[in-house]
Amino acid sequence: MASESFPYNRFLGEYQELAHGRPDGPALRDSVRDHAVPGEEKLVRYLRSGSALAVTGSPVHDALSSEFIGALELHTDGEWFWYSLIVSE
């Protein structure tokens, strides 16, 4: 049984095309753009500085191209949660 106090509504980036996404989440394809937005570098640094809560060894494929891109991690800043990848070289 899930904990009633766990903040399930505090997840970012749960795009509907992702295996860990939500069926009612935003469309990933609608979020793709060919240019950066002001402050994007600062946001990326912030997201990369989050603490890892969980890491999976399961393969993750790019939802747009189907290419293998790495392993999935769950991060937090203590208030919000988001997924990122350990990218394979």
Side-chain angles (χ1 to χ4, degrees):
M1 183 168 148
S3 167
E4 295 298 323
S5 63
F6 191 82
Y8 290 103
N9 63 341
R10 305 299 280 179
F11 280 80
L12 303 172
E14 292 187 298
Y15 296 101
Q16 57 189 264
E17 296 91 343
L18 304 179
H20 56 277
R22 296 173 53 118
D24 61 342
L28 182 59
R29 290 190 189 281
D30 293 344
S31 299
V32 175
R33 60 184 186 279
D34 60 0
H35 61 281
V37 295
E40 186 170 305
E41 289 179 17
K42 184 177 178 182
L43 175 61
V44 169
R45 279 193 306 274
Y46 179 79
L47 292 172
R48 288 184 176 160
S49 72
S51 298
L53 290 178
V55 179
T56 177
S58 300
V60 176
H61 292 84
D62 186 306
L64 301 176
S65 72
S66 297
E67 293 179 42
F68 173 74
I69 51 177
L72 189 65
E73 295 185 329
L74 175 61
H75 289 262
T76 187
D77 61 0
E79 185 172 347
W80 290 92
F81 301 87
W82 62 92
Y83 298 97
S84 69
L85 297 169
I86 301 172
V87 179
S88 299
E89 300 285 331

